Tab-separated table of all heavy atoms in Angstrom:
chain	number	residue	atom	x	y	z
A	1	VAL	N	-63.558	-33.359	95.841
A	1	VAL	CA	-64.176	-34.018	96.962
A	1	VAL	C	-64.943	-32.996	97.745
A	1	VAL	O	-64.353	-32.060	98.324
A	1	VAL	CB	-63.114	-34.701	97.864
A	1	VAL	CG1	-63.826	-35.348	99.024
A	1	VAL	CG2	-62.346	-35.709	97.085
A	2	GLU	N	-66.283	-33.135	97.818
A	2	GLU	CA	-67.173	-32.247	98.571
A	2	GLU	C	-67.270	-32.724	100.044
A	2	GLU	O	-67.149	-33.940	100.296
A	2	GLU	CB	-68.528	-32.201	97.959
A	2	GLU	CG	-68.596	-31.693	96.520
A	2	GLU	CD	-68.767	-32.843	95.481
A	2	GLU	OE1	-68.310	-33.965	95.885
A	2	GLU	OE2	-69.279	-32.691	94.430
A	3	SER	N	-67.499	-31.789	100.787
A	3	SER	CA	-67.791	-32.075	102.319
A	3	SER	C	-68.664	-30.988	102.792
A	3	SER	O	-68.786	-29.916	102.222
A	3	SER	CB	-66.487	-32.234	103.080
A	3	SER	OG	-65.804	-30.980	103.061
A	4	GLY	N	-69.241	-31.192	103.945
A	4	GLY	CA	-70.010	-30.123	104.673
A	4	GLY	C	-71.499	-30.273	104.600
A	4	GLY	O	-72.311	-29.471	105.178
A	5	GLY	N	-72.006	-31.277	103.866
A	5	GLY	CA	-73.421	-31.482	103.728
A	5	GLY	C	-73.976	-31.957	105.089
A	5	GLY	O	-73.275	-32.339	106.008
A	6	GLY	N	-75.314	-31.975	105.164
A	6	GLY	CA	-75.978	-32.471	106.359
A	6	GLY	C	-77.469	-32.126	106.483
A	6	GLY	O	-77.998	-31.742	105.419
A	7	SER	N	-78.022	-32.206	107.645
A	7	SER	CA	-79.426	-31.911	107.826
A	7	SER	C	-79.562	-30.734	108.697
A	7	SER	O	-78.905	-30.655	109.774
A	7	SER	CB	-80.153	-33.145	108.394
A	7	SER	OG	-80.064	-34.302	107.554
A	8	VAL	N	-80.402	-29.813	108.300
A	8	VAL	CA	-80.617	-28.587	109.045
A	8	VAL	C	-82.081	-28.235	108.946
A	8	VAL	O	-82.795	-28.631	108.104
A	8	VAL	CB	-79.826	-27.399	108.555
A	8	VAL	CG1	-78.340	-27.624	108.822
A	8	VAL	CG2	-80.084	-27.028	107.102
A	9	GLN	N	-82.576	-27.412	109.879
A	9	GLN	CA	-83.925	-26.922	109.836
A	9	GLN	C	-83.971	-25.634	108.985
A	9	GLN	O	-82.974	-24.983	108.751
A	9	GLN	CB	-84.362	-26.576	111.245
A	9	GLN	CG	-84.610	-27.780	112.151
A	9	GLN	CD	-85.418	-27.432	113.423
A	9	GLN	OE1	-85.225	-26.405	113.930
A	9	GLN	NE2	-86.147	-28.445	113.884
A	10	ALA	N	-85.134	-25.365	108.432
A	10	ALA	CA	-85.288	-24.165	107.643
A	10	ALA	C	-84.744	-22.907	108.435
A	10	ALA	O	-85.101	-22.808	109.600
A	10	ALA	CB	-86.819	-24.018	107.204
A	11	GLY	N	-84.136	-22.123	107.643
A	11	GLY	CA	-83.573	-20.913	108.246
A	11	GLY	C	-82.143	-21.033	108.657
A	11	GLY	O	-81.420	-20.143	109.079
A	12	GLY	N	-81.662	-22.310	108.674
A	12	GLY	CA	-80.333	-22.572	109.096
A	12	GLY	C	-79.254	-22.409	108.028
A	12	GLY	O	-79.565	-21.994	106.913
A	13	SER	N	-78.037	-22.677	108.396
A	13	SER	CA	-76.921	-22.503	107.475
A	13	SER	C	-76.057	-23.737	107.390
A	13	SER	O	-75.991	-24.522	108.335
A	13	SER	CB	-76.056	-21.337	108.013
A	13	SER	OG	-76.711	-20.084	108.041
A	14	LEU	N	-75.395	-23.872	106.322
A	14	LEU	CA	-74.355	-24.914	106.091
A	14	LEU	C	-73.271	-24.278	105.208
A	14	LEU	O	-73.552	-23.403	104.355
A	14	LEU	CB	-74.956	-26.125	105.348
A	14	LEU	CG	-75.794	-27.066	106.187
A	14	LEU	CD1	-76.350	-28.165	105.173
A	14	LEU	CD2	-74.991	-27.788	107.238
A	15	ARG	N	-72.124	-24.808	105.308
A	15	ARG	CA	-70.985	-24.440	104.506
A	15	ARG	C	-70.409	-25.628	103.751
A	15	ARG	O	-69.913	-26.533	104.409
A	15	ARG	CB	-69.914	-23.734	105.269
A	15	ARG	CG	-68.770	-23.046	104.418
A	15	ARG	CD	-67.596	-22.741	105.149
A	15	ARG	NE	-66.682	-21.792	104.527
A	15	ARG	CZ	-65.400	-21.673	104.841
A	15	ARG	NH1	-64.844	-22.321	105.898
A	15	ARG	NH2	-64.696	-20.779	104.225
A	16	LEU	N	-70.523	-25.691	102.494
A	16	LEU	CA	-69.904	-26.834	101.745
A	16	LEU	C	-68.548	-26.428	101.269
A	16	LEU	O	-68.244	-25.298	100.965
A	16	LEU	CB	-70.764	-27.047	100.418
A	16	LEU	CG	-72.286	-27.307	100.711
A	16	LEU	CD1	-72.927	-27.704	99.322
A	16	LEU	CD2	-72.464	-28.454	101.777
A	17	SER	N	-67.676	-27.460	101.241
A	17	SER	CA	-66.334	-27.299	100.754
A	17	SER	C	-66.038	-28.244	99.607
A	17	SER	O	-66.662	-29.321	99.624
A	17	SER	CB	-65.276	-27.512	101.890
A	17	SER	OG	-65.515	-26.589	102.910
A	18	CYS	N	-65.229	-27.923	98.682
A	18	CYS	CA	-64.781	-28.861	97.673
A	18	CYS	C	-63.302	-28.654	97.433
A	18	CYS	O	-62.838	-27.613	97.027
A	18	CYS	CB	-65.587	-28.403	96.305
A	18	CYS	SG	-64.952	-29.361	94.959
A	19	ALA	N	-62.602	-29.676	97.828
A	19	ALA	CA	-61.226	-29.751	97.656
A	19	ALA	C	-60.757	-30.384	96.343
A	19	ALA	O	-61.288	-31.456	95.992
A	19	ALA	CB	-60.609	-30.528	98.837
A	20	ALA	N	-59.874	-29.690	95.683
A	20	ALA	CA	-59.499	-30.255	94.281
A	20	ALA	C	-58.022	-30.581	94.264
A	20	ALA	O	-57.172	-29.960	94.911
A	20	ALA	CB	-59.728	-29.088	93.302
A	21	SER	N	-57.811	-31.688	93.498
A	21	SER	CA	-56.454	-32.017	93.243
A	21	SER	C	-55.890	-31.297	92.056
A	21	SER	O	-56.620	-30.558	91.388
A	21	SER	CB	-56.240	-33.547	92.968
A	21	SER	OG	-56.970	-33.811	91.737
A	22	GLY	N	-54.642	-31.362	91.740
A	22	GLY	CA	-54.034	-30.631	90.725
A	22	GLY	C	-53.249	-29.411	91.041
A	22	GLY	O	-53.580	-28.730	92.057
A	23	ARG	N	-52.266	-29.112	90.292
A	23	ARG	CA	-51.313	-27.984	90.558
A	23	ARG	C	-51.762	-26.671	89.983
A	23	ARG	O	-51.161	-25.628	90.341
A	23	ARG	CB	-49.921	-28.297	90.079
A	23	ARG	CG	-49.267	-29.482	90.731
A	23	ARG	CD	-48.054	-29.851	90.198
A	23	ARG	NE	-48.118	-30.358	88.835
A	23	ARG	CZ	-47.068	-30.618	88.037
A	23	ARG	NH1	-45.803	-30.374	88.537
A	23	ARG	NH2	-47.258	-31.121	86.865
A	24	THR	N	-52.836	-26.727	89.150
A	24	THR	CA	-53.240	-25.497	88.547
A	24	THR	C	-54.680	-25.152	88.813
A	24	THR	O	-55.370	-24.643	87.973
A	24	THR	CB	-53.134	-25.636	86.905
A	24	THR	OG1	-53.858	-26.796	86.542
A	24	THR	CG2	-51.691	-25.763	86.571
A	25	PHE	N	-55.019	-25.339	90.113
A	25	PHE	CA	-56.431	-25.030	90.452
A	25	PHE	C	-56.721	-23.508	90.224
A	25	PHE	O	-57.888	-23.205	89.984
A	25	PHE	CB	-56.492	-25.294	92.066
A	25	PHE	CG	-57.874	-24.958	92.606
A	25	PHE	CD1	-58.964	-25.715	92.442
A	25	PHE	CD2	-58.008	-23.778	93.365
A	25	PHE	CE1	-60.180	-25.369	92.964
A	25	PHE	CE2	-59.224	-23.455	93.943
A	25	PHE	CZ	-60.366	-24.337	93.677
A	26	SER	N	-55.811	-22.730	90.347
A	26	SER	CA	-56.031	-21.313	90.084
A	26	SER	C	-56.458	-20.982	88.643
A	26	SER	O	-56.804	-19.816	88.356
A	26	SER	CB	-54.898	-20.457	90.522
A	26	SER	OG	-53.694	-20.791	89.796
A	27	ASN	N	-56.282	-21.888	87.748
A	27	ASN	CA	-56.746	-21.793	86.436
A	27	ASN	C	-58.177	-22.331	86.083
A	27	ASN	O	-58.656	-22.139	84.981
A	27	ASN	CB	-55.805	-22.497	85.381
A	27	ASN	CG	-54.430	-21.806	85.374
A	27	ASN	OD1	-54.268	-20.636	85.699
A	27	ASN	ND2	-53.422	-22.487	84.851
A	28	TYR	N	-58.736	-22.908	87.051
A	28	TYR	CA	-60.108	-23.619	86.886
A	28	TYR	C	-61.189	-22.621	87.273
A	28	TYR	O	-61.236	-22.114	88.358
A	28	TYR	CB	-60.169	-24.854	87.774
A	28	TYR	CG	-59.039	-25.864	87.686
A	28	TYR	CD1	-58.907	-26.726	88.691
A	28	TYR	CD2	-58.268	-25.931	86.554
A	28	TYR	CE1	-57.900	-27.732	88.600
A	28	TYR	CE2	-57.170	-26.827	86.479
A	28	TYR	CZ	-57.052	-27.765	87.519
A	28	TYR	OH	-56.154	-28.741	87.479
A	29	ALA	N	-62.152	-22.576	86.359
A	29	ALA	CA	-63.428	-21.962	86.728
A	29	ALA	C	-64.141	-23.092	87.575
A	29	ALA	O	-64.091	-24.260	87.200
A	29	ALA	CB	-64.253	-21.553	85.606
A	30	MET	N	-64.835	-22.732	88.621
A	30	MET	CA	-65.611	-23.728	89.521
A	30	MET	C	-66.991	-23.398	89.667
A	30	MET	O	-67.395	-22.236	89.623
A	30	MET	CB	-64.842	-23.739	90.835
A	30	MET	CG	-63.415	-24.029	90.845
A	30	MET	SD	-63.044	-25.766	90.391
A	30	MET	CE	-63.828	-26.685	91.681
A	31	GLY	N	-67.754	-24.493	89.797
A	31	GLY	CA	-69.188	-24.263	89.899
A	31	GLY	C	-69.817	-25.245	90.924
A	31	GLY	O	-69.207	-26.312	91.245
A	32	TRP	N	-70.960	-24.849	91.430
A	32	TRP	CA	-71.835	-25.706	92.288
A	32	TRP	C	-73.113	-25.935	91.555
A	32	TRP	O	-73.712	-24.971	91.065
A	32	TRP	CB	-72.087	-25.066	93.646
A	32	TRP	CG	-70.937	-25.099	94.581
A	32	TRP	CD1	-69.989	-24.093	94.799
A	32	TRP	CD2	-70.476	-26.126	95.432
A	32	TRP	NE1	-69.065	-24.441	95.732
A	32	TRP	CE2	-69.326	-25.718	96.118
A	32	TRP	CE3	-70.972	-27.489	95.681
A	32	TRP	CZ2	-68.656	-26.511	97.058
A	32	TRP	CZ3	-70.257	-28.225	96.500
A	32	TRP	CH2	-69.142	-27.762	97.222
A	33	PHE	N	-73.559	-27.172	91.536
A	33	PHE	CA	-74.771	-27.622	90.959
A	33	PHE	C	-75.574	-28.447	92.020
A	33	PHE	O	-74.918	-28.883	93.001
A	33	PHE	CB	-74.589	-28.405	89.762
A	33	PHE	CG	-74.048	-27.622	88.516
A	33	PHE	CD1	-72.710	-27.258	88.534
A	33	PHE	CD2	-74.925	-27.118	87.500
A	33	PHE	CE1	-72.179	-26.507	87.469
A	33	PHE	CE2	-74.368	-26.389	86.537
A	33	PHE	CZ	-73.032	-26.091	86.439
């Protein structure tokens, strides 16, 4: 589940988060596309 998107002006910043279910998250390679 991603969150943190929105609208900003050029030069601004945003921080996206992705919360994962599962007990073995530390075994997963993760990516953003």
Side-chain angles (χ1 to χ4, degrees):
V1 180
E2 302 99 334
S3 61
S7 297
V8 296
Q9 290 190 328
S13 297
L14 284 173
R15 188 194 196 201
L16 306 184
S17 299
C18 174
S21 65
R23 293 176 293 175
T24 56
F25 176 77
S26 59
N27 289 341
Y28 307 159
M30 300 295 296
W32 286 98
F33 292 78

